[in-house]
Amino acid sequence: MPRVIPELARESLWPADADEARALQDRLAPRVRVEPLDPGGVRLVAGLDVSYGAAELVAAAVVLDAVTLEVVAQATVRAAPSFPYVPGLFAFRELPPLLAALERLTVEPDAYVCDGYGLAHPRRFGLACHLGVLLDRPVLGVAKNAFVSEAAEPGPTRGAAADLVDGGEVVGRCLRVQDGVRPVYVSVGHRADLDSACALVLRLSPRHRICEPIRRADRLSRAELAAPAGGKQT
DNA sequence: GCGACAG
DNA sequence: ATCTTGTCGC
């Protein structure tokens, strides 16, 4: 159901090589908007993730009720990788299949959470920013470790946080979502600010380190990857 | 030059 | 991301 303007997708997802990909990121980065995200406006949240097999991948999107965290809709897409994994150019590898999976959804999410970075990226345009700009909807990036940025060790309890800094600027936040458990790295993708992003991630992580939307998408993509190809594609 | 490097 | 056993703990 979520759609991207065809021209924008065609021009910003298929670079001929790494240099062109970096140029595309530099050209699109100015479109990112950082602004408060109204918690009450987020009823449906989509979690995105991709699992890899020998020569194929499965992209999954799972939509949850932001309050009850119950699954409202989900979709998967099986495809062949169309771009190699290059640190910093992650979006060109995962966005095409993820967008295809999103188109299969039967509901319109109010916000999206994806694996990886938003502004905590070398050119301030990680996967979360790229997806946000293409959809022009709120998107957050949650990674399991830092890339270009550094952060102090946050306090030991849930909710404790420390600035993620790169080149002298705050690009995200190292956030502990469970007592005594390693923190996650949150950065804004689009149409959100750090405070609202962290508040939402905490709400979406009532029990585990990985927030529920991404957790569900991870499980779904793995299950579909293991399932016999050609079967029902949610 | 060398190592590091979201998933 | 993925290749992989048992083990400790809620």
Side-chain angles (χ1 to χ4, degrees):
Chain A
M1 194 158 219
R3 284 292 159 70
V4 172
I5 298 173
E7 295 70 47
L8 194 52
R10 173 155 37 75
E11 298 168 8
S12 70
L13 287 176
W14 312 97
D17 53 47
D19 288 328
E20 193 179 315
R22 295 189 187 92
L24 279 171
Q25 295 181 321
D26 288 332
R27 185 166 69 72
L28 295 169
R31 297 204 190 205
V32 172
R33 298 220 312 274
V34 178
E35 58 192 31
L37 204 197
D38 170 30
V42 182
R43 313 306 297 180
L44 300 179
V45 186
L48 280 33
D49 195 24
V50 178
S51 286
Y52 297 84
E56 62 181 350
L57 59 78
V58 170
V62 178
V63 183
L64 312 188
D65 178 302
V67 175
T68 65
L69 301 188
E70 289 176 353
V71 177
V72 172
Q74 57 180 43
T76 61
V77 160
R78 185 182 294 263
S82 57
F83 199 84
Y85 167 64
V86 180
L89 302 180
F90 207 42
F92 300 98
R93 180 176 176 76
E94 299 207 335
L95 227 38
L98 284 174
L99 287 169
L102 290 178
E103 286 183 6
R104 288 181 170 241
L105 291 175
T106 53
V107 298
E108 183 81 48
D110 297 306
Y112 300 76
V113 183
C114 45
D115 261 320
Y117 307 132
L119 294 174
H121 174 276
R123 286 166 295 285
R124 305 294 179 263
F125 199 70
L127 175 66
C129 293
H130 209 137
L131 176 64
V133 166
L134 291 189
L135 298 176
D136 194 22
R137 308 242 48 173
V139 180
L140 316 181
V142 183
K144 302 174 195 65
N145 31 47
F147 184 6
V148 294
S149 51
E150 301 183 332
E153 177 74 12
T157 60
R158 171 181 164 89
D163 286 343
L164 252 183
V165 181
D166 177 45
E169 70 181 304
V170 176
V171 297
R173 200 171 287 168
C174 178
L175 177 69
R176 182 139 7 232
V177 298
Q178 299 302 329
D179 292 354
V181 173
R182 281 186 305 153
V184 293
Y185 300 79
V186 180
S187 58
V188 171
H190 189 55
R191 290 210 189 189
D193 61 21
L194 263 180
D195 286 331
S196 34
C198 289
L200 182 55
V201 170
L202 278 172
R203 269 176 54 195
L204 299 173
S205 312
R207 191 183 172 80
H208 305 283
R209 179 164 99 113
I210 303 306
C211 63
E212 290 306 311
I214 290 181
R215 215 160 182 279
R216 294 288 184 137
D218 177 70
R219 285 155 78 242
L220 177 60
S221 61
R222 284 183 202 239
E224 180 56 37
L225 183 64
K232 68 258 178 192
Q233 300 234 335
T234 312

